[in-house]
């Protein structure tokens, strides 16, 4: 962006404390009109808190927010008032989307934009204006479906439309790509870039270096609540940004030596799962995961990974075919039976399925084996032993947070994931199902989780790794299979794989010469 | 058997059905409004009693029927404000607060009645609402006599259901009320006040409940008795679920319950010897439990119902 572009936003000395902790410490930033600024930082660096002050959800303890009005004159925003931020042209797309699920997309967009007690509303005019806005920006989304039925990408576009509807001149997106498949993320950035060209200023929060380098004009790096550097994207590189973010040289990416595959841990034999939802369906497929190897499943979101994960953790039973665990055919498909057999599960949605938020970290650690002698005796929990074990385990796995006795929901996402991993590993599993183990984690936490998985493999556990992050699959796996429309295809060892071909397998374009010929003959 | 079916064809049966349904319609619309905003209001049973008492007392003291209606609305709103204060800004348990409001409102009504009339043995009567009989109505067969037996309050109750539907589905305020019952964060992010919306909905809904109570003393009967509400409030709570939080279905449910009740009264006189009368009294409740089970299995309840919301909390 040309340095002469008029200023759209100026943050001056913003500070926010939560109790003792300083979440944001004296941050000053300037945003130009039509600029795309990335806010980069690890979990807990203060990115979201900073943006919530801009948007008026939190009142800053010090500093001020100044936003340019229509004539370009900078005006102070009153602190702690979302209404004022909206009126000044600041729109925010939250990480956990703020949509009412019982309202349609259209109603969600209109919510709050109309006077509450007016009887006439001019819905038709609003509809026409909105459709014009959609056509101009290219943000397509179904308007008449209840939000509950929309996919994440569609919800996000509704949120962006909601912000633009209120005439946002500054758009803030909190981790916009955390929930998107790679193609969706790419499409989103294309749209944002187009809107920035028309004068919209964009701030997006991220901790993914490639997307920050690829799509931002400038990058502001936060660490521990302080602004530690602002770089033009053209002059920055991954290594230096990573160093700024982590405060030191980044830990080396976990390097997996070759595994030593042993006896089969999990075998699917022509197993099929039927389900009304395509993403929970599995075509008859066969797969073997041996002890001492990591098998990575690469695939676009919703290709049937959920069905595979459910099958491998006992949450679903196959409608045809069979499942073998450690050489024995499984008869009882319950999560408890699988845990007892030695399967550790890292669920896809760590908040919903991984922990009970209201229970303490210590209780969450033992929740899968309440009958074990070190956990309970005669039906009574051994609170002392549990607390002592929790303190040791949390320390050993570097799980940080408000302590073993505090509710798990108070921990950050990265630490919750480490807690789940600690629970899995402490049980000494022979098979680990790792479903999106590093999704949404910052670089440091992701590296720690990956290293633990490799260590578990080297200790003799089989690992079934399901991930939408292709880089992660290639870095960790001994063998890669791809998944598309509920089908598994053996791809081979990562070293021998060509990314282009892998991508085609993931989207179902690569059917193999024989099948293509057969299809041709049939047609 | 044919005698029983013949009941359904009589005008007096349908007139009674609407009369019995009227307080339920007020109560169920009030409860629905509260719940759509995310607040369960178990105070409805007690607010019925307080509304019945306040409406009657105002008329007895010479305020006129309009004064009685206003008094009932105001007393309902007052107890609604109490419930809203406890559950919205303070975020206390909606169950506990609602039950407390029911106990308090009931006792306060009885206490006021006894204080106002310490020595009376038979409840003093007031001049109640008279049936509205507009000219154009009398000539219509069947509907004429059925509606001709109803007072202004029943007409108002029947009009209330479409009005609540319009409010919820066709106004910006209704949009905000539905949103605040589903995802308060969305409402806050749009710069609207979650607490004001919920408070307003609970107060307005409770005022309607008060009016439902006043129907009993100013239209169905002409005096206040102890125990006259007799569980009608709890039926309203069940009807909201039966109706999946939709005003149209709620109206239907209230009328259906009214029909059960009117039917059992008449069946009792015809089949009186066959079974104890208590079985007939029980029938509407058994049937409403059955209907509830069948209708509400797929109920799509407001997601933020029972969940208090505080600003700036994760």
């Amino acid at each position: 962006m040309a340095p002469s572009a008029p200023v759209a936003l100026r943050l001056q000395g913003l500070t926010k404390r939560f109790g003792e902790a300083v979440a944001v410490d004296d941050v000053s930033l300037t945003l130009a009109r039509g600029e795309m600024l990335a806010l980069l930082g690890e979990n807990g660096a203060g990115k979201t808190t900073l943006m919530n002050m801009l948007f008026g959800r939190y009142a800053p303890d010090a500093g001020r927010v100044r936003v340019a009005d229509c004539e370009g004159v900078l005006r102070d925003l009153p602190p702690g008032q979302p209404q004022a931020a909206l009126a000044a042209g600041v729109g925010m797309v939250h990480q956990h989307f703020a949509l009412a699920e019982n309202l349609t997309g259209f109603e969600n967009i209109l919510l709050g934009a109309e006077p509450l007690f007016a009887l006439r509303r001019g819905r038709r005019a609003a509809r026409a204006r909105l459709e014009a806005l959609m056509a101009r920006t290219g943000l397509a989304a179904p308007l008449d479906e209840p939000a509950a039925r929309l996919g994440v990408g569609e919800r996000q576009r509704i949120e962006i439309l909601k912000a633009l509807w209120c005439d946002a001149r500054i758009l803030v997106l909190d981790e916009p790509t955390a929930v998107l498949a790679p193609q969706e993320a790419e499409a989103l950035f294309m749209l944002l870039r187009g809107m920035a060209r028309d004068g919209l200023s964009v701030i997006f929060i991220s901790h993914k270096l490639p997307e920050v380098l690829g799509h931002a004009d400038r990058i502001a790096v936060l660490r521990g609540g302080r602004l530690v550097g602002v770089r033009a994207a053209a002059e920055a590189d991954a290594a230096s940004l990573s160093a700024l973010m982590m405060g030191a040289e980044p830990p080396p990416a976990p390097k997996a030596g070759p595994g030593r595959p042993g006896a089969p841990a999990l075998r699917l034999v022509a197993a099929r799962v039927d389900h009304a939802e395509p993403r929970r369906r599995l075509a008859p497929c066969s797969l073997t995961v041996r002890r001492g190897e990591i098998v990575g499943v690469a695939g676009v979101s919703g290709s049937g990974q959920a069905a595979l994960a459910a099958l491998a953790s006992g949450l679903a039973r196959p409608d045809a075919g069979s499942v073998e665990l450690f050489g024995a055919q499984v008869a009882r498909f319950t999560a408890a039976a699988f845990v007892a057999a030695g399967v550790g599960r890292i669920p896809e949605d760590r908040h919903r399925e991984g922990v009970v938020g209201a229970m303490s970290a210590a209780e969450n650690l033992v929740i899968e084996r309440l009958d074990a002698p070190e956990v309970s005796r005669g039906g009574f929990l051994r609170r002392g032993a549990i607390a002592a074990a929790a303190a040791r385990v949390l320390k050993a796995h570097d799980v940080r947070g408000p302590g073993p006795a505090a509710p798990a929901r108070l921990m950050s996402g990265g630490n919750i994931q480490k807690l789940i991993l600690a629970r899995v590993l402490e049980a000494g599993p022979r098979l680990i199902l790792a479903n999106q183990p590093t999704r949404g984690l910052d670089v440091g936490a992701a590296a720690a989780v990956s290293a633990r998985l490799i260590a578990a493999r080297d200790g003799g556990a089989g690992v079934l790794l399901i991930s939408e992050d292709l880089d992660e699959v290639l870095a960790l796996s001994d063998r890669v299979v791809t998944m598309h429309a509920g089908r598994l295809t053996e791809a081979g060892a990562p070293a021998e794989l060509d990314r282009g071909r892998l991508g085609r397998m993931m989207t179902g374009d690569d059917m193999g010469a024989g099948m293509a010929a057969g299809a041709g003959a049939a047609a | 058997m044919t005698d029983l079916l013949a009941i359904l064809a009589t005008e007096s049966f349908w007139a009674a059905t609407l009369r019995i349904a009227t307080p339920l319609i007020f109560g169920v619309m009030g409860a629905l409004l509260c719940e759509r905003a995310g607040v369960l209001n178990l105070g409805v049973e007690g607010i019925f009693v307080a509304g019945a008492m306040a409406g009657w007392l105002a008329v007895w003291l010479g305020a006129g029927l309009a004064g009685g209606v206003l008094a009932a609305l105001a007393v309902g709103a007052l107890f609604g404000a109490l419930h809203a204060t406890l559950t919205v800004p303070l975020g206390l348990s909606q169950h506990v607060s609602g039950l407390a409001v029911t106990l308090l409102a009931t006792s306060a009504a009885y206490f006021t009645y006894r204080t106002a009339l310490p020595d009376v043995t038979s409840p003093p009567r007031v001049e109640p609402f008279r049936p509205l009989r507009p000219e154009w109505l009398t000539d219509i067969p069947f509907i004429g006599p059925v509606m001709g037996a109803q007072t202004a309050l029943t007409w108002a109750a029947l009009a209330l259901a479409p009005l609540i539907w319009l409010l919820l589905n066709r106004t910006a305020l209704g949009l905000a009320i539905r949103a605040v019952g589903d995802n308060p964060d969305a409402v806050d992010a749009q710069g609207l006040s979650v607490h004001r919306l919920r408070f307003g909905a609970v107060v307005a809904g409770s005022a309607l409940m008060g009016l439902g109570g006043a129907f009993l003393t100013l239209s169905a009967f002409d005096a206040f008795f102890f125990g006259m509400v007799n569980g009608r409030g709890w039926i309203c709570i069940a009807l909201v679920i039966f109706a999946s939080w939709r005003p149209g279905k709620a109206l239907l449910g209230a009328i259906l319950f009214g029909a059960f009740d009117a039917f059992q009264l008449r069946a009792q006189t015809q089949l009186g010897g066959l079974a104890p009368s208590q079985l007939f009294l029980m029938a509407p409740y058994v049937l409403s439990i059955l209907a509830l089970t069948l209708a509400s299995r797929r109920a799509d309840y407001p997601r933020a119902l029972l969940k208090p919301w505080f600003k700036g909390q994760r």
Side-chain angles (χ1 to χ4, degrees), chain A residues 495-514:
Chain A
E496 307 152 7
L497 283 174
D498 162 31
R499 289 180 83 98
R501 178 152 172 270
L502 207 53
R504 287 194 299 279
M505 289 170 78
M506 285 162 62
T507 49
D509 287 345
D510 189 275
M511 302 301 276

Side-chain angles (χ1 to χ4, degrees), chain A residues 279-333:
Chain A
R279 58 185 297 269
R280 300 194 177 277
R281 228 178 269 160
L282 205 61
C285 65
S286 299
L287 174 73
T288 305
V289 179
R290 293 173 179 281
R291 298 188 59 180
E293 72 168 349
I294 298 180
V295 176
V297 179
V300 178
S301 165
S303 300
Q305 291 97 329
L308 179 63
L311 206 54
S313 54
L315 293 174
R317 60 168 55 248
D319 290 289
S322 64
V323 177
E324 290 171 20
L325 273 182
F326 315 111
Q329 187 158 342
V330 178
R332 284 185 57 222
F333 285 87

